[in-house]
Amino acid sequence: MKRFKALDVFRGLTICLMIVVNTTGDWDLTFSPLLHANWHGFTPTDLVFPSFLFAVGNAFAFVKTRWADKPLSEVFRKIIKRTVIIFLLGYIMYWFPFVSWTDAGDLTLVPFSETRILGVLQRIAICYFIGAVMIYFLTNRQLIIASALILIGYWGLLSAFGDYTLEGNLVRTVDRFLLGDSHLYGGDGIPFDPEGLLSTLPAICNVIAGYLVGKFVIQGGINYEKLSKMLMVGAGLLALAYLWNLSFPVNKKLWTSSFVILTTGLDIIVLSILIYSIEFVKKPVNYYFFEVFGKNSLFIYLLSEYLAITMLFLRVDGNQSLYSYIYENGFSWIGPYYGSFAFALVFMLLCWAIGLWLDKKRIYIKV
C-alpha cells in the first residue's frame, strides 16, 4: 500500500508545533495564539494535541492491513505492549527527575503519592488502546455510529451531573474520586486534570476520525473528487461545531464534543491543503523539514520534554533555573514576546537538528 507523504508531513508538523507551544521562554510574555484558551474558547495551540491523536488514527489505516494476516492474540499482544510503554513513558516523564527543590534550596525525593498519573502521553496510550480495539472489530459505519454515541453521551453526562465550570464539571469530580487530588494537575489553581479519565472518552473520536480519513486517502489513491469531499466534510464539521458550541461550549480542557468536531474539521482541511500542495501542484512543496519530525515523532517529543524538564530543574547563578537563565541572558534582549518566541523556535530547531542527524543515519526509534 502506497504511503502518502502528506500524512507523514501532517504528523511532523504537529510535533513541531507541539514543541514550540510547550517551550516558550516566558509564559507571561507569550503571544496569545501560542497559549491554550483559559477555559471556553479556542486558540491555534488548542489544535495541536487533537491533531496528534488524529495522526495516531492515520497510522491505523496502514497498520490494519497487516492485522489481517496475524492471529488475534499476536495483534492484541502488540497493542497492549505499546499501550503500556507509552503510558509509562508519560508517567515517568512527569515524575522525572524524581527529586525537587525545597524553599531552603535542598533536594528532596518526590514521593509516589504526589505524582501526576494522567497526562499527554497517558491520554495517547489510552486512546491508542481503545481506538485499536474499536478499529479492529468495527466496520467504518459502526465506527461513525459509535463515535456519535460517545460524543452525544459525553454531552449528556456533563450536562446531567455537573456544569461546565472549572470547579463543578464532572471530569474533575470523577478524577478526584478515583485518583485523588494529589495525583492531579494543579496548574489551574485547583486539582483538575485537562487530560482526565472521563474527558479521554471523546478524545478517542479524534483517533477514529484520523483512521477513517487516513483510510479514505490511501485507498485507491487521491484525486480532485476525493479532495473536494474532504474539504466539504471539513467545512460541514466546522459548521456543526459552531452550532454545538451554542449549547456545549468548545473547551479543550474538558475536551467537549464540540471541541472534537471543530478540531477534526480543521485537521481534515489542513490535511487536504497538504495533499494538494504535494500531490497536485506542478512544483510540489518540499516539506522535508517537517518530515524529519514525523519520522521519529514520539522520540523527538520525549526528547523535547525531558530536555525542557532538565533545564527547568538545573540551578545556575544562585537559585535560577538553567531554562530561565538561558532565556534571560540569550533571548530577553530581543524584546517582550518576540524574545520568548525566539527561545521556543531555537529550542525546536535544536530538537529538529537531532532528528535530522537520526534521519541521515537512518535511525528510526519506534515504540
Side-chain angles (χ1 to χ4, degrees):
M1 182 178 291
K2 178 185 175 183
R3 188 166 189 90
F4 277 84
K5 184 183 290 187
L7 298 176
D8 293 326
V9 172
F10 180 88
R11 183 172 60 254
L13 176 62
T14 301
I15 293 296
C16 176
L17 293 176
M18 189 176 284
I19 294 173
V20 170
V21 302
N22 284 348
T23 52
T24 183
D26 186 337
W27 293 105
D28 294 327
L29 297 173
T30 299
F31 291 115
S32 56
L34 298 179
L35 296 171
H36 291 294
N38 288 331
W39 194 240
H40 295 327
F42 186 80
T43 73
T45 298
D46 291 329
L47 181 62
V48 175
F49 190 11
S51 297
F52 193 91
L53 292 175
F54 188 85
V56 170
N58 289 162
F60 277 126
F62 298 95
V63 173
K64 190 175 182 181
T65 59
R66 300 196 292 268
W67 285 348
D69 302 326
K70 298 177 181 178
L72 178 63
S73 59
E74 182 180 345
V75 171
F76 270 78
R77 187 166 59 249
K78 289 185 176 181
I79 291 173
I80 293 171
K81 178 183 175 183
R82 194 172 195 213
T83 299
V84 171
I85 290 174
I86 294 174
F87 191 97
L88 288 177
L89 285 172
Y91 175 73
I92 293 172
M93 183 176 75
Y94 287 129
W95 198 355
F96 181 81
F98 314 112
V99 292
S100 63
W101 294 99
T102 65
D103 294 336
D106 300 320
L107 288 174
T108 181
L109 288 173
V110 178
F112 170 78
S113 60
E114 296 178 10
T115 58
R116 181 185 175 191
I117 293 178
L118 301 174
V120 172
L121 284 176
Q122 294 92 313
R123 170 163 288 181
I124 292 172
I126 296 170
C127 289
Y128 169 83
F129 176 77
I130 299 177
V133 173
M134 292 175 66
I135 289 167
Y136 186 91
F137 287 108
L138 302 182
T139 65
N140 288 356
R141 183 171 180 272
Q142 290 170 336
L143 287 172
I144 293 172
I145 293 173
S147 297
L149 292 175
I150 289 173
L151 295 179
I152 295 171
Y154 184 65
W155 180 26
L157 285 173
L158 262 63
S159 301
F161 300 99
D163 53 36
Y164 305 145
T165 66
L166 174 62
E167 297 81 6
N169 66 81
L170 181 62
V171 174
R172 180 170 181 255
T173 303
V174 170
D175 286 340
R176 295 183 73 191
F177 177 75
L178 294 177
L179 303 176
D181 289 355
S182 60
H183 290 296
L184 302 182
Y185 179 72
D188 290 302
I190 62 174
F192 168 77
D193 210 307
E195 281 79 46
L197 283 171
L198 188 61
S199 58
T200 297
L201 195 62
I204 298 165
C205 299
N206 290 92
V207 175
I208 300 300
Y211 164 73
L212 293 173
V213 173
K215 188 175 181 181
F216 179 76
V217 168
I218 65 178
Q219 282 193 332
I222 193 73
N223 53 46
Y224 279 108
E225 182 182 357
K226 292 179 75 171
L227 198 62
S228 299
K229 288 180 179 179
M230 287 176 62
L231 287 169
M232 285 191 291
V233 170
L237 289 174
L238 295 187
L240 176 58
Y242 177 80
L243 293 174
W244 208 343
N245 173 68
L246 300 176
S247 56
F248 195 22
V250 169
N251 186 308
K252 187 262 181 188
K253 293 179 180 179
L254 288 178
W255 213 278
T256 55
S257 303
S258 55
F259 175 76
V260 173
I261 299 298
L262 173 64
T263 54
T264 299
L266 289 172
D267 282 337
I268 292 173
I269 291 172
V270 170
L271 183 58
S272 300
I273 294 171
L274 290 175
I275 292 173
Y276 178 79
S277 63
I278 294 172
E279 304 286 342
F280 291 96
V281 297
K282 291 183 179 179
K283 293 184 178 180
V285 178
N286 186 347
Y287 288 109
Y288 178 70
F289 180 88
F290 298 114
E291 287 184 72
V292 168
F293 285 108
K295 290 178 180 178
N296 276 294
S297 55
L298 188 59
F299 172 78
I300 294 177
Y301 169 70
L302 280 168
L303 170 71
S304 70
E305 290 292 301
Y306 275 101
L307 181 57
I309 292 169
T310 301
M311 290 170 63
L312 286 165
F313 173 76
L314 294 176
R315 293 293 185 264
V316 295
D317 193 24
N319 199 34
Q320 187 177 22
S321 72
L322 178 62
Y323 190 98
S324 63
Y325 179 84
I326 292 174
Y327 164 69
E328 289 184 7
N329 291 277
F331 296 90
S332 62
W333 62 269
I334 299 173
Y337 297 96
Y338 290 100
S340 186
F341 182 55
F343 178 94
L345 287 179
V346 171
F347 189 95
M348 176 270 293
L349 289 172
L350 173 62
C351 296
W352 177 84
I354 296 172
L356 177 65
W357 180 82
L358 290 172
D359 187 42
K360 295 299 183 183
K361 295 291 185 179
R362 297 188 180 279
I363 300 173
Y364 305 109
I365 302 171
K366 306 292 183 182
V367 174

